Amino acid sequence: MKAIEIISIPVTDQQAAKAFYLKIGFEILVEANFEKQTWIQMAFPGSPVSITLVNWFAEMPAGSVRGLVIKTDDLDKDIADLKAKGLEVGNVDTTPWGRFATVEDPDGNALSLHAK
């Protein structure tokens, strides 16, 4: 085993989720229909790790993701950019291991932005 390749993000409305993830900087790698479903795979430009927006796993309810950490070099700038795009961002928490702010997708999946 070498690395994490894809992380499944459970959502109810794939198109609404896709619009959100595009706003925060993801790009579409694949969007294709299969067996009455749609595979939407996205990643940050140049990232080897991607996400897929899933709605077919009963044991993964939409909005259940917590602890997905997204690295940023300029947390304050990224927060301002997200707010300018109409997204809500939580307060910044400062810890000994960095600064964090949470943003939630339309289903409530919590993404933690992190800068040192």
Side-chain angles (χ1 to χ4, degrees), residues 35-87:
E35 300 176 13
K36 299 180 184 177
Q37 301 289 341
T38 303
W39 179 266
I40 301 176
Q41 185 175 351
M42 307 177 80
F44 286 114
S47 176
V49 179
S50 61
I51 62 170
T52 184
L53 306 175
V54 301
N55 58 6
W56 51 83
F57 294 123
E59 59 279 352
M60 286 180 70
S64 62
V65 169
R66 300 288 180 273
L68 185 66
V69 179
I70 298 172
K71 181 181 178 181
T72 176
D73 291 328
D74 189 339
L75 183 62
D76 297 318
K77 178 186 176 303
D78 287 337
I79 289 171
D81 290 347
L82 293 174
K83 287 182 176 182
K85 293 176 184 176
L87 301 176

Side-chain angles (χ1 to χ4, degrees):
M1 289 182 240
K2 294 171 43 175
I4 293 173
E5 184 176 10
I6 302 172
I7 298 168
S8 294
I9 306 293
V11 301
T12 53
D13 181 333
Q14 288 177 303
Q15 294 304 312
K18 178 179 79 173
F20 168 84
Y21 286 95
L22 287 169
K23 280 184 181 179
I24 66 169
F26 281 80
E27 296 178 335
I28 298 170
L29 300 178
V30 178
E31 184 167 357
N33 294 327
F34 74 100
E35 300 176 13
K36 299 180 184 177
Q37 301 289 341
T38 303
W39 179 266
I40 301 176
Q41 185 175 351
M42 307 177 80
F44 286 114
S47 176
V49 179
S50 61
I51 62 170
T52 184
L53 306 175
V54 301
N55 58 6
W56 51 83
F57 294 123
E59 59 279 352
M60 286 180 70
S64 62
V65 169
R66 300 288 180 273
L68 185 66
V69 179
I70 298 172
K71 181 181 178 181
T72 176
D73 291 328
D74 189 339
L75 183 62
D76 297 318
K77 178 186 176 303
D78 287 337
I79 289 171
D81 290 347
L82 293 174
K83 287 182 176 182
K85 293 176 184 176
L87 301 176
E88 292 184 33
V89 182
N91 294 330
V92 175
D93 292 322
T94 302
T95 71
W97 46 91
R99 298 172 66 230
F100 295 85
T102 300
V103 62
E104 292 185 356
D105 76 6
D107 287 293
N109 291 302
L111 313 173
S112 184
L113 309 177
H114 171 242
K116 292 188 179 204

